[in-house]
Amino acid sequence: MIAVLDYGSQFAHLIARRIRSLGVYAEIFPNTTPSSVLKNKKVEGIILSGGPRSVYENNAPTIDKRIFTLGVPVLGLCYGHQLLAHTLGGKVVPSSKEYGKETLTVAGKSRLLQGLGKKEQVWMSHGDSVVALPQGFSVSGSTQECKIAAFADEKRRTYGLQFHPEVQHTLHGMKILENFIKICGCKRNYTIKGLDRKLVAEIKAKVGNGAVIMGVSGGVDSLVASALIKTATPNIYCAFVDHGIIRKGEAAYVKELYEKLGFRHYYYADASQIFYTRLKGITDPEEKRRVIGKTFIEVFEAKVKELKAKHGEIRFLGQGTIYPDRIESAKASKAADVIKTHHNVGGLPAKMRLKLVEPLKDLYKDEVRELGKMIGLPLDALMRHPFPGPGLAVRIVGEITAERIGIVQEADFIFTDELKKTGQYDKIWQAFAALLPVKAVGVMGDSRSYGYIISLRAVTSVDGMTADWAKIPNDVLERAASRIVKNVRGVTRVVYDITQKPPATIEYE
Ligand code: XMP
């Protein structure tokens, strides 16, 4: 196993995901993890991620120095690269910023950079640089601005890279990670083949004959988790809470899907009126999320009570939590600066005294999809884009009204339809329409119209933590825009959002 120590990088998951795709299991650990924990876990290599801080600042995250005595290869990336230099006796100072693609000139014969050309395209994002190396290290690559862009101590198998090998723009980044795995001596035998049987056995061992309640959303994660739980026990009760801020036709779609797959106990709770009433007049994004999260728990609890009265005791709660959800909510619960409150993890079980069953808790989204294919779930359901728990509420900027929900639903339906018809949908991580609460003038026939602006957003991503805007062909965008303006009353303009994450987020609120 490779451990990725997380220094707050948006790319920490990407590093772990890339290592897994090379056939080696990788997990993310907080940067405060003591060396004894890593030793007990028998990690074979350690990667220090990037991060937003400067190593010379007060209270900057650091590393347990005993890690360097474990005899395990260490690779520092960006902040990790600087931290290695800083901790082992080198020097890091503020420098001119490098952001984006740069050319690395490879020097010497570092094992980490074996197989690379003399000049390599790499991706940089830093404002500090290493200017003096610790003893025993030598420079193995530099760029125009950054003389120590790569360093190595082959004897100690310790390496630093100022650039990010995990991002696609570093053209041979995967080769570098593969070299690191070789240096670590890891066997490349991590695969999800056969994982379904193991997970089902684990669920059986945990729940026995006990009943499991599962909140389903129509999304990939809760679908795959429910299917695994259903294989382990017939006592699974699925409940879909409709908060009314969902996609057009969604409630009927989910019901049909679960019934077709043979779930005997599928329950639907129409709670849209409660949600609409409570959301009236609320415009603050975090307040919206809080109200939705709290009301969701209330409605779900009431449904569980009702099911208990009907079927007897229910002791377990099934959830489609996946690996990034778990790491992010653990981080969010500690960090003062919470970007957004995600409501789908936590909250429920503590209050309801239910034991959690989370079969997908160690997997990334694409691994969940792979697993879903292995157990024969329908491909179109597995390839659905992620949809946020608070639903269209985070895609309607400002107050939520019945009119605005209707507009977003229709616009979203048309955009998705165009993407599916043109084969674009499966190439994209997530695509949707959002409503901007400003009005703009248009002309319809001979008369002036005045209506909302719809923003179409489509992004490519590996894990939702970072994202690029999708380069959809213009004619597809044009058809979607013209259908929306023609068919959705109350919309006069359509724009396409070309912001990356970071600095933007994928959703609007
Ligand atoms: P952001 O907007 O934070 O979104 O860039 C990253 C990914 O997370 C999804 N998202 C959510 N999912 N509950 C969820 O289940 C939430 O509250 C929530 N907020 C954002 C978003 O759709 C994207 O895939």
Side-chain angles (χ1 to χ4, degrees), residues 397-416:
V397 177
E399 189 181 358
I400 295 160
T401 64
E403 184 208 16
R404 290 177 176 186
I405 294 172
I407 289 176
V408 170
Q409 280 179 333
E410 289 302 326
D412 189 72
F413 181 80
I414 292 171
F415 187 32
T416 306

Side-chain angles (χ1 to χ4, degrees), residues 222-449:
S222 57
L223 173 66
V224 177
S226 321
L228 289 170
I229 297 171
K230 176 165 147 291
T231 312
T233 169
N235 292 332
I236 173 169
Y237 301 95
C238 296
F240 177 74
V241 172
D242 180 355
H243 54 36
I245 332 160
I246 56 177
R247 284 165 289 192
K248 181 177 168 178
E250 185 68 4
Y253 167 86
V254 183
K255 181 170 189 286
E256 198 189 319
L257 176 67
Y258 276 76
E259 285 179 357
K260 220 163 57 194
L261 291 172
F263 284 84
R264 281 189 296 129
H265 301 290
Y266 176 83
Y267 297 93
Y268 169 75
D270 179 3
S272 45
Q273 280 319 318
I274 313 170
F275 279 88
Y276 293 163
T277 310
R278 294 204 183 158
L279 286 167
K280 206 169 164 19
I282 298 179
T283 54
D284 177 69
E286 277 299 299
E287 182 61 15
K288 268 188 199 174
R289 280 173 177 270
R290 263 193 300 275
V291 169
I292 295 172
K294 197 169 153 271
T295 311
F296 187 91
I297 292 175
E298 260 178 58
V299 174
F300 191 78
E301 257 186 313
K303 196 75 201 169
V304 175
K305 251 190 208 150
E306 187 190 314
L307 293 179
K308 276 183 180 172
K310 194 166 163 189
H311 300 286
E313 189 53 46
I314 296 176
R315 283 198 297 127
F316 299 94
L317 173 72
Q319 281 198 326
T321 317
I322 63 172
Y323 190 52
D325 298 338
R326 202 153 59 84
I327 299 294
E328 293 320 305
S329 39
K331 257 202 317 211
S333 64
K334 281 192 209 129
D337 182 18
V338 177
I339 298 173
K340 290 175 185 179
T341 320
H342 285 212
H343 87 252
N344 51 336
V345 193
L348 280 171
K351 205 154 174 253
M352 295 166 68
R353 295 205 190 92
L354 291 167
K355 283 202 183 114
L356 272 181
V357 183
E358 296 179 307
L360 311 177
K361 70 179 191 325
D362 293 325
L363 301 180
Y364 282 103
K365 191 86 167 189
D366 50 344
E367 295 176 315
V368 171
R369 288 194 166 118
E370 214 41 52
L371 189 63
K373 275 185 215 161
M374 267 161 46
I375 58 176
L377 294 172
L379 205 59
D380 59 336
L382 293 175
M383 294 315 290
R384 290 189 105 196
H385 291 173
F387 187 73
L392 303 177
V394 292
R395 298 176 179 175
I396 296 172
V397 177
E399 189 181 358
I400 295 160
T401 64
E403 184 208 16
R404 290 177 176 186
I405 294 172
I407 289 176
V408 170
Q409 280 179 333
E410 289 302 326
D412 189 72
F413 181 80
I414 292 171
F415 187 32
T416 306
D417 183 51
E418 284 298 333
L419 293 176
K420 284 193 171 161
K421 275 204 303 222
T422 52
Q424 292 293 317
Y425 186 86
D426 288 348
K427 296 184 191 160
I428 290 168
W429 165 266
Q430 212 168 358
F432 56 86
L435 181 140
L436 309 182
V438 279
K439 290 198 167 179
V441 174
V443 273
M444 288 273 187
D446 287 330
S447 51
R448 179 184 186 276
S449 57

Side-chain angles (χ1 to χ4, degrees), residues 11 50-54 56 77-82 92-104 122-131 142-150 161-164:
F11 298 130
R53 305 285 300 274
S54 287
Y56 46 78
L77 305 177
C78 198
Y79 182 90
H81 162 90
Q82 295 159 11
V92 178
V93 296
S95 63
S96 55
K97 283 196 169 66
E98 279 186 304
Y99 185 82
K101 293 173 196 166
E102 297 288 339
T103 303
L104 179 83
V122 298
W123 194 83
M124 288 277 196
S125 171
H126 68 115
D128 288 341
S129 292
V130 176
V131 290
S142 48
T143 65
Q144 186 98 32
E145 292 289 330
C146 182
K147 296 303 162 215
I148 309 181
L161 299 175
Q162 181 55 72
F163 56 91
H164 291 268

